[in-house]
Amino acid sequence: MLCLRQVCLFTLRHYQARTLCSDLLLSQISGCTHEDEVFSLVGRNKARLSEKHVGIALNMLWQLQKKRSLLSRSSDYVRNHSEFLTLCILAENKAEHMEDEVIVDTLYSIMRLDIEGNISLAKVLVTEAWKRLERQVLLSLPALSKFALCLYKQHRPFSPVLGQVAHIVDKKLDSIQDIRILSVLMVSISEVITESFRDRLLHKAEQLLEEKDEVHFNYARRILQFLQNARLKYHPLLGKCNRIFLESASHLDIHSISHIFGLYEQLGFDNAEFRLIAKQLLSEAIDDCYDPETFAKLFFSLGPMAGSKVRERLLVTAEHMAEEFSSHQVLTILKTMQKMKCRNSYLLKKMASVLHKHLDSYHALQLVKLTQSLVALHCQDLELFAKLKMLLLGYLKSSVIPADTAAIIRVLAMLPSFQVEEMIINKAAAVLPQCRLHHLNCIATALVKWNHHGQLHRQNSSELCAKLLQKLNDCGFQRLLKANNLNLLLEELSYVSGEWFEEVLSEETLPVCQRLLDQITWANVLPLSLFLIKSDHRCPALFDRIASVTVENIDKIPPSEIYFILFLFSALNYDPPDNEEFFKSCIQHLTSNLSHLETYHLVLLGQVLAMAGYFPPVLITTIFNVSFLSKLDAQLKVLPDTVKQRVHSRLMKLNRAVCLECPEFHIPWFHEPYCQRVFHNSTSRINPQRQHIHRMLTEILGGKNYSRISVLTPYYYEIDFECVLDVNKKPLSYMAQHIPLDGVGGIHLRRDIKDEGRKALPPGAQRIALEFLDSKAFSKDYSRHLKGEPAVKKRHLEMLGYRVAQIPHFEWNSMVLSTKSEQLEYLRQQLYGIE
């Protein structure tokens, strides 16, 4: 008995000593301040390391790296250390005995240390975690989010285990109250969720963002990543995330700003206020960009909105760094130069020379983007284009994905002096049955270009091309006829544009949309409206349905989307059955949400409403305010040139409309200098057809002094022909009556604004404006309906005292007016109002 007691005491003391020793080792690993200390402890205690020690050691290695800046991390040193391999082997052998949380922490640590996702340890840890999920072992939400992120980072977006994680998230969604955890889970499971589950996640994210006073910008950035993965422009969340970025401005660096801009670009979202703040932060950080990676991100973010001095500095720095850029950075620089419309030939030559050593590292779609940028920048390196051609043809031969095949064929058509090979035509023919509409459009664009430029030199190639185009047209028709889901059809149509679609399929698409009329909902009125705007067709059934759905669901539609819906009706000059109710609902929704709209959006909105004859006082007084216009001017400096030009033009048109139609607002006309610059920089519109009509008017009226061609009115409307008839409808000579005119670059400018103009005319006399209306003035359908802009112009000219006679192109060019005498009689009727 005594012996047994002694044995038990010895065993207990040995166990206590081992436990104490083990706890001491755990504390020692946790207290390490350098990776070498961790490796030293591992090397001295290999035989005594438990699964817990191994997990803590790997986690400690990541925590030590995490404390360093990105540039000072030494992940390569850690990965290549012999004791690190020891840790990985031990972890792999002990994975089965690890606690649930330790498995996830270990997997997360090796992932953050940039260990390849397919190494044996990662596979073992994923498998072990999966087994436990299948046994319904419930990980804590933080651990579940870490595990999901590891799977996502290992490029397993469609993995069955992620599907299982998504199922758990679906069940536990209501209990998630941490936006950090939710944002990680949203990104990780984005590819394996249903549409209804996606919507639940969106609403949960909205709720958590509303409840938190402060949200880290990284969480908002992940939510943007989720939207990008889901290919969804969800305005409520975009607005909230943008607000978080604005509030977190002091914490943003070049890398985070670049990432945000990249996501905004992919989502088709922009915010001038964020651009202004980003420009300031990036301009202040320009001196800290010493490495190629940081500079490439700075160039991408700052280049398109930089002023001339900063822009020049960026270009010079890019020249000096060119040799150091990686293949990805070269592509970023070239794409940004394209966006900047950069014409720096020296930098372009430098980047082209550097490209030669990187070409083999690009995959097919990167080569496509690269070629597009080089062509847009007018690169003259024929040797580079020859290499690109060879690589693209190689990818084309092996391509089995229709989207890739179509993209490569389209970009091959951009190459200078490209000779079409039969292989290309045969490859295109092989993928046609699998192509979506925008893929067909890419191939058709290339074939039409080759045909127009005579690059199908062989008779056989030309015949094959003709047959292929016919087959391509048939595939397009068949795809439209088989369409039974409006959302999927609109998704395809959003990427389609160009001559082929407009000539072959545009009109055929409208009956298909009408067939799917019942599928129009508040969620798809925007893409449908955008398609109809692009098609330039008036389709009453579709327009009426859009109007009714908009009115019924007005509170669900984001204010920024209302603009495009209104633009559809205003631009195509269509009044739905309940026109007043439709515009009233839209205006009420917009005016109660003005603070949620971009500054320049208000200008666009005001002009599109003015086109339809609506001038909401709150909107007009908001826009024509000194502080608003100052803010607009500041924001326009950081917006793309195309947006800047559009906003300037629309503000002028809105200013003109308010002055003419709403004098009670007492808004001054302040666009005289702007209009003068525009007209001085524009080319003359006096083409041969207008000269021919002017000669006929001269013959009818009795001399050159009785009519004017290309006249600028007060408020800078340009009219094709002007004459003055007295009370007896006799033409008055401009010279005899001393009617004020100024010659401006071949354009006659009237200075007699409003009452002055009336005083300049004899009693009872009237100005006649004759406008020749080409095809752009009418919708493309057979209704020959006048569009919004020319209708507004007629209305405004009448307010300026003109009688307006419009000459539609389809009447002037018709067989009815095939002789000179018939044309003269037609013009007399227009001038004198003879029935």
Side-chain angles (χ1 to χ4, degrees):
M1 192 69 176
L2 183 61
C3 291
L4 181 61
R5 185 170 179 272
Q6 287 176 334
V7 169
C8 288
L9 287 171
F10 175 81
T11 303
L12 181 61
R13 280 196 301 272
H14 179 72
Y15 176 78
Q16 288 173 337
R18 182 175 175 84
T19 303
L20 186 63
C21 183
S22 298
D23 288 344
L24 180 61
L25 181 57
L26 205 63
S27 299
Q28 288 175 329
I29 295 172
S30 300
C32 289
T33 58
H34 194 276
E35 292 83 353
D36 286 340
E37 294 177 33
V38 177
F39 289 135
S40 177
L41 286 170
V42 169
R44 295 198 308 268
N45 298 281
K46 289 178 187 174
R48 295 159 50 200
L49 293 175
S50 68
E51 65 277 2
K52 194 169 186 179
H53 295 130
V54 172
I56 290 292
L58 286 168
N59 183 259
M60 199 64 211
L61 290 172
W62 158 240
Q63 293 301 325
L64 292 169
Q65 288 291 307
K66 184 180 175 181
K67 291 177 183 177
R68 298 193 176 103
S69 66
L70 284 171
L71 295 177
S72 62
R73 289 180 184 175
S74 52
S75 297
D76 287 341
Y77 171 74
V78 171
R79 288 194 300 268
N80 296 327
H81 200 287
S82 59
E83 298 302 349
F84 183 75
L85 179 61
T86 300
L87 275 174
C88 288
I89 293 170
L90 287 170
E92 189 174 335
N93 292 336
K94 297 174 183 292
E96 190 177 346
H97 305 290
M98 286 182 178
E99 295 177 1
D100 304 331
E101 309 277 330
V102 174
I103 286 178
V104 173
D105 285 342
T106 305
L107 180 62
Y108 182 78
S109 297
I110 64 168
M111 179 202 73
R112 296 311 301 254
L113 288 167
D114 296 327
I115 309 302
E116 291 297 326
N118 60 356
I119 64 166
S120 180
L121 174 57
K123 290 179 179 178
V124 167
L125 291 172
V126 169
T127 303
E128 187 58 37
W130 192 359
K131 285 179 184 176
R132 300 190 188 194
L133 286 180
E134 286 182 326
R135 294 200 301 265
Q136 297 189 341
V137 173
L138 295 179
L139 294 172
S140 67
L141 286 171
L144 188 68
S145 68
K146 269 189 181 180
F147 182 51
L149 181 63
C150 292
L151 295 171
Y152 179 76
K153 292 290 186 182
Q154 289 175 6
H155 308 293
R156 303 184 185 204
F158 303 107
S159 165
V161 64
L162 260 181
Q164 193 161 352
V165 171
H167 178 65
I168 295 169
V169 175
D170 191 16
K171 290 194 298 184
K172 300 178 74 172
L173 185 59
D174 292 339
S175 64
I176 299 176
Q177 298 302 321
D178 189 330
I179 188 62
R180 180 186 66 83
I181 290 171
L182 180 66
S183 65
V184 172
L185 288 168
M186 285 173 72
V187 171
S188 304
I189 64 176
S190 56
E191 301 287 357
V192 293
I193 56 176
T194 63
E195 190 174 321
S196 58
F197 184 23
R198 180 201 70 190
D199 292 342
R200 289 181 61 223
L201 287 168
L202 292 173
H203 294 139
K204 184 68 178 181
E206 276 189 89
Q207 175 196 330
L208 293 183
L209 288 177
E210 285 292 338
E211 291 174 358
K212 301 289 182 182
D213 292 332
E214 289 187 24
V215 176
H216 195 280
F217 70 88
N218 270 336
Y219 311 158
R221 192 168 60 178
R222 284 194 206 109
I223 290 171
L224 285 189
Q225 186 68 60
F226 170 78
L227 292 173
Q228 196 271 322
N229 291 352
R231 293 171 290 281
L232 185 68
K233 189 176 179 179
Y234 187 64
H235 289 276
L237 269 182
L238 280 169
K240 286 182 173 63
C241 290
N242 188 73
R243 176 178 51 78
I244 291 164
F245 297 142
L246 293 175
E247 292 169 354
S248 308
S250 58
H251 304 293
L252 298 176
D253 59 10
I254 293 171
H255 301 278
S256 55
I257 291 172
S258 169
H259 192 187
I260 293 166
F261 271 134
L263 289 168
Y264 277 177
E265 190 174 282
Q266 291 170 328
L267 287 164
F269 178 80
D270 204 355
N271 180 261
E273 194 175 352
F274 179 73
R275 276 178 172 265
L276 276 172
I277 289 175
K279 182 181 179 181
Q280 182 182 344
L281 292 171
L282 294 169
S283 299
E284 292 169 357
I286 199 168
D287 292 326
D288 300 326
C289 295
Y290 304 111
D291 65 289
E293 182 185 358
T294 305
F295 177 77
K297 290 179 178 179
L298 175 76
F299 192 86
F300 164 75
S301 304
L302 183 58
M305 55 184 179
S308 56
K309 289 183 180 178
V310 173
R311 177 189 172 109
E312 189 58 34
R313 187 176 172 188
L314 289 172
L315 295 174
V316 170
T317 307
E319 290 171 16
H320 293 320
M321 275 193 185
E323 296 291 340
E324 302 173 53
F325 289 137
S326 67
S327 58
H328 176 71
Q329 289 154 8
V330 170
L331 181 56
T332 298
I333 298 291
L334 285 169
K335 284 167 62 181
T336 307
M337 286 174 67
Q338 180 187 354
K339 198 185 298 182
M340 295 164 66
K341 297 180 181 175
C342 177
R343 293 292 179 262
N344 187 313
S345 57
Y346 181 76
L347 175 58
L348 183 59
K349 286 179 183 176
K350 197 80 181 280
M351 299 306 296
S353 67
V354 172
L355 260 178
H356 284 278
K357 68 180 181 183
H358 290 304
L359 281 183
D360 292 334
S361 63
Y362 292 111
H363 59 65
L365 292 183
Q366 286 177 321
L367 283 177
V368 166
K369 292 175 183 175
L370 191 60
T371 306
Q372 288 173 332
S373 294
L374 290 169
V375 170
L377 292 167
H378 305 293
C379 177
Q380 301 299 314
D381 192 331
L382 296 180
E383 183 186 350
L384 180 61
F385 280 125
K387 288 183 179 178
L388 281 168
K389 172 193 169 183
M390 181 185 67
L391 290 168
L392 287 165
L393 287 173
Y395 277 118
L396 182 63
K397 287 175 184 175
S398 59
S399 174
V400 293
I401 301 172
D404 292 0
T405 301
I408 294 170
I409 289 174
R410 181 166 189 178
V411 85
L412 282 171
M414 297 179 184
L415 293 174
S417 306
F418 183 79
Q419 302 301 314
V420 184
E421 301 176 15
E422 279 188 29
M423 180 275 292
I424 298 173
I425 297 175
N426 292 333
K427 190 74 180 181
V431 299
L432 286 188
Q434 306 166 58
C435 284
R436 304 179 82 185
L437 288 174
H438 54 281
H439 305 148
L440 294 174
N441 191 60
C442 286
I443 296 170
T445 302
L447 293 175
V448 170
K449 183 176 180 181
W450 286 327
N451 194 40
H452 284 175
H453 289 78
Q455 289 170 278
L456 301 162
H457 293 292
R458 296 181 183 176
Q459 181 67 26
N460 189 37
S461 294
S462 186
E463 291 174 0
L464 284 173
C465 179
K467 290 179 181 177
L468 180 60
L469 268 173
Q470 185 55 54
K471 184 179 178 183
L472 193 144
N473 293 348
D474 293 340
C475 286
F477 286 127
Q478 288 302 313
R479 190 157 187 89
L480 284 177
L481 290 173
K482 292 177 182 176
N484 55 19
N485 185 306
L486 183 60
N487 289 333
L488 295 178
L489 177 61
L490 290 172
E491 186 182 338
E492 289 195 40
L493 292 173
S494 64
Y495 297 99
V496 180
S497 61
E499 292 180 16
W500 173 77
F501 181 78
E502 288 179 12
E503 292 177 7
V504 178
L505 291 183
S506 185
E507 285 189 32
E508 303 297 327
T509 309
L510 294 170
V512 177
C513 291
Q514 281 185 259
R515 173 164 55 82
L516 304 174
L517 194 74
D518 291 340
Q519 295 184 29
I520 297 176
T521 66
W522 70 267
N524 60 28
V525 287
L526 174 63
L528 180 57
S529 297
L530 290 172
F531 167 69
L532 291 171
I533 291 168
K534 189 165 59 175
S535 73
D536 212 14
H537 279 70
R538 288 171 83 254
C539 184
L542 291 173
F543 280 44
D544 293 349
R545 174 68 177 164
I546 288 172
S548 64
V549 168
T550 300
V551 171
E552 290 167 11
N553 301 274
I554 192 69
D555 292 331
K556 297 178 183 176
I557 303 174
S560 55
E561 292 185 4
I562 295 290
Y563 163 75
F564 295 101
I565 298 169
L566 288 172
F567 186 88
L568 172 66
F569 290 87
S570 294
L572 289 172
N573 194 19
Y574 181 82
D575 293 337
D578 296 321
N579 190 53
E580 288 297 324
E581 184 186 0
F582 169 66
F583 274 95
K584 182 181 176 181
S585 297
C586 291
I587 290 169
Q588 187 176 350
H589 183 52
L590 289 165
T591 51
S592 59
N593 287 281
L594 289 184
S595 61
H596 295 98
L597 290 165
E598 284 267 27
T599 302
Y600 71 92
H601 282 170
L602 295 184
V603 174
L604 302 179
L605 184 60
Q607 193 271 331
V608 85
L609 284 170
M611 200 190 309
Y614 292 89
F615 299 86
V618 64
L619 180 60
I620 301 303
T621 53
T622 297
I623 293 172
F624 293 103
N625 176 284
V626 174
S627 61
F628 176 91
L629 293 172
S630 299
K631 184 179 179 182
L632 176 67
D633 191 49
Q635 292 189 357
L636 286 178
K637 290 176 182 177
V638 295
L639 290 170
D641 286 341
T642 51
V643 176
K644 196 181 304 182
Q645 291 163 8
R646 189 187 317 133
V647 174
H648 278 149
S649 174
R650 301 283 178 84
L651 182 61
M652 182 275 289
K653 291 175 181 178
L654 177 59
N655 186 199
R656 178 168 60 197
V658 172
C659 289
L660 285 169
E661 301 190 55
C662 302
E664 66 274 15
F665 283 118
H666 304 291
I667 303 297
W669 166 247
F670 56 91
H671 275 89
E672 190 89 8
Y674 167 79
C675 290
Q676 287 178 359
R677 284 196 305 273
V678 169
F679 277 101
H680 277 297
N681 294 332
S682 64
T683 56
S684 175
R685 295 173 61 241
I686 306 175
N687 56 31
Q689 189 168 41
R690 284 178 171 78
Q691 288 175 338
H692 172 65
I693 294 173
H694 188 237
R695 283 193 294 270
M696 288 192 162
L697 285 173
T698 300
E699 185 176 336
I700 293 168
L701 295 169
K704 291 183 178 179
N705 293 335
Y706 294 103
S707 66
R708 290 289 184 264
I709 184 170
S710 283
V711 177
L712 285 182
T713 73
Y715 301 108
Y716 280 78
Y717 269 121
E718 183 181 2
I719 54 177
D720 295 326
F721 314 102
E722 182 193 76
C723 65
V724 180
L725 301 180
D726 67 14
V727 67
N728 298 313
K729 295 193 175 180
K730 300 291 184 182
L732 295 178
S733 168
Y734 283 95
M735 294 181 67
Q737 296 298 324
H738 302 291
I739 296 173
L741 286 165
D742 249 342
V744 183
I747 293 176
H748 299 285
L749 174 62
R750 272 186 52 203
R751 297 291 187 185
D752 53 322
I753 296 176
K754 296 183 182 177
D755 291 337
E756 292 178 21
R758 295 192 187 97
K759 291 174 185 176
L761 294 177
Q766 188 177 33
R767 291 188 186 273
I768 312 296
L770 276 83
E771 284 281 279
F772 179 80
L773 303 179
D774 60 18
S775 59
K776 292 179 182 177
F778 301 91
S779 56
K780 289 182 180 176
D781 53 272
Y782 298 110
S783 68
R784 291 172 171 171
H785 185 79
L786 195 64
K787 286 161 63 173
E789 287 274 8
V792 169
K793 183 177 181 179
K794 183 176 186 292
R795 188 168 82 220
H796 286 176
L797 289 177
E798 289 170 347
M799 290 177 178
L800 287 168
Y802 283 95
R803 179 168 68 79
V804 182
Q806 295 179 325
I807 308 171
H809 70 98
F810 50 82
E811 290 184 4
W812 184 256
N813 297 322
S814 67
M815 291 298 292
V816 177
L817 304 182
S818 58
T819 65
K820 181 181 177 181
S821 61
E822 290 166 340
Q823 289 178 341
L824 286 169
E825 182 58 30
Y826 176 83
L827 286 177
R828 283 194 189 95
Q829 291 176 8
Q830 298 300 316
L831 276 172
Y832 300 116
I834 301 169
E835 296 298 331

